[in-house]
Amino acid sequence: MSKGICYYCQNKSKAAGKLGNKELEKLGHSCNQVIFHKGDKIMIQNSLSYNIVFVKEGLVKVHVLGPEREQIINILKGPCYLGIPTTIGAKINKYSATAISETKVCFIGFDIFKEFVLQNGEFAYEIIIELSKNVLFNIKKCINQIQKQGPGKIAEALLYFSEEIFDNEVFDLPLTRNELGDLTCTSRETTSRILTDFSQNGIIKVNKKKISILNKKKLEKISETG
DNA sequence: GCATTAACCACAG
DNA sequence: CTGTGGTTAATGC
């Protein structure tokens, strides 16, 4: 174990893959792995942020308590970084993160992270790529939510879970209807209605949390046309 | 006006 | 926690 947990880690980020053995060893000494269970808070809005948070594996809900209601920003699947913007860009966390499945998380000291960024260009470049993708994702999501109407937003969300998170036409929705509403900027009631509507039209099959996408073409169509 | 959309309320499983 | 029905408000023909 002398080389530390990061050296042997199988879920390294792309950026960490660019680190040399010495650097990985160093990272191991400044990295702390924690296992979170469903519902555990990983990061809390308005608390001080000292660490870069890396999700090794598991599903995480990123959410913000707005003036009116709770807003789910996105659902992330490890391996991915989680708190870079809020750690670098602000003193306090601008959002919360909650595990929605069993999740392995690494907290990385900000100083060592900064050191790698300054000294290892390839590491920094991978970080920039990940951040850039996040920005593009958020722009897309913003447009979707402002311009699409209910069914389009729900279709979008279902496709996201199917393609990005579970890579399967059949999956267990890891959110309640209420949370799906928080994610898609619709009310719990409309979410529920749209799901039964999709189901009646043979587009999906719903059984409690279990969703089966039966007619993906149609779902994509709805997602595109809003 | 009339239709559509969706939020809010309420109530029942 | 969910599903549905009624009501209401906003928006667009």
Side-chain angles (χ1 to χ4, degrees):
Chain A
M1 274 299 276
S2 66
K3 292 197 161 125
I5 58 168
C6 296
Y7 184 87
Y8 296 104
C9 176
Q10 299 294 309
N11 298 52
K12 277 195 261 302
S13 66
K14 268 196 155 181
K18 305 291 184 184
L19 295 175
N21 292 347
K22 266 236 165 84
E23 288 172 314
L24 280 173
E25 209 174 307
K26 218 168 171 179
L27 179 59
H29 292 135
S30 180
C31 172
N32 176 33
Q33 181 179 310
V34 183
I35 292 179
F36 289 95
H37 299 100
K38 187 179 167 68
D40 290 346
K41 298 250 186 297
I42 297 169
M43 189 188 278
I44 299 175
Q45 186 176 356
N46 295 328
S47 66
L48 276 170
S49 63
Y50 292 114
N51 301 303
I52 299 291
V53 181
F54 177 69
V55 181
K56 269 176 91 170
E57 56 178 274
L59 292 180
V60 175
K61 168 178 95 169
V62 179
H63 50 118
V64 174
L65 186 59
E68 288 289 325
R69 74 188 79 257
E70 171 99 337
Q71 174 71 51
I72 298 180
I73 306 302
N74 53 17
I75 305 293
L76 297 178
K77 183 176 74 166
C80 68
Y81 286 99
L82 174 56
I84 297 182
T86 201
T87 305
I88 296 182
K91 275 185 189 159
I92 55 171
N93 287 315
K94 296 298 176 184
Y95 44 78
S96 298
T98 305
I100 52 177
S101 72
E102 176 110 346
T103 302
K104 279 187 198 164
V105 173
C106 292
F107 292 91
I108 301 165
F110 179 68
D111 292 339
I112 190 84
F113 181 84
K114 185 177 171 186
E115 188 183 317
F116 291 156
V117 169
L118 293 176
Q119 292 178 3
N120 185 327
E122 289 196 69
F123 177 86
Y125 185 62
E126 291 295 340
I127 297 294
I128 291 174
I129 290 176
E130 184 159 340
L131 289 175
S132 300
K133 283 184 178 167
N134 285 342
V135 172
L136 293 179
F137 179 83
N138 287 330
I139 290 173
K140 182 171 165 233
K141 192 154 183 284
C142 188
I143 296 294
N144 282 334
Q145 295 194 338
I146 291 172
Q147 298 193 358
K148 282 183 189 174
Q149 47 193 39
K153 293 191 245 186
I154 300 293
E156 163 95 17
L158 293 178
L159 288 169
Y160 174 73
F161 280 115
S162 168
E163 290 170 359
E164 309 293 328
I165 302 287
F166 296 106
D167 195 25
N168 199 324
E169 313 271 288
V170 182
F171 57 89
D172 279 310
L173 193 67
L175 303 176
T176 64
R177 301 296 139 103
N178 210 334
E179 288 173 312
L180 187 57
D182 290 339
L183 176 66
T184 53
C185 296
T186 51
S187 68
R188 176 202 122 241
E189 293 96 322
T190 348
T191 304
S192 168
R193 282 186 177 115
I194 290 169
L195 286 179
T196 48
D197 185 60
F198 282 177
S199 166
Q200 282 169 0
N201 287 307
I203 300 169
I204 59 172
K205 199 173 117 197
V206 183
N207 186 6
K208 300 280 167 65
K209 301 267 185 189
K210 192 168 187 138
I211 310 270
S212 315
I213 295 181
L214 303 176
N215 191 338
K216 188 165 173 180
K217 285 271 172 292
K218 208 162 177 183
L219 200 59
E220 282 167 345
K221 188 88 188 163
I222 295 170
S223 172
E224 282 162 25
T225 56

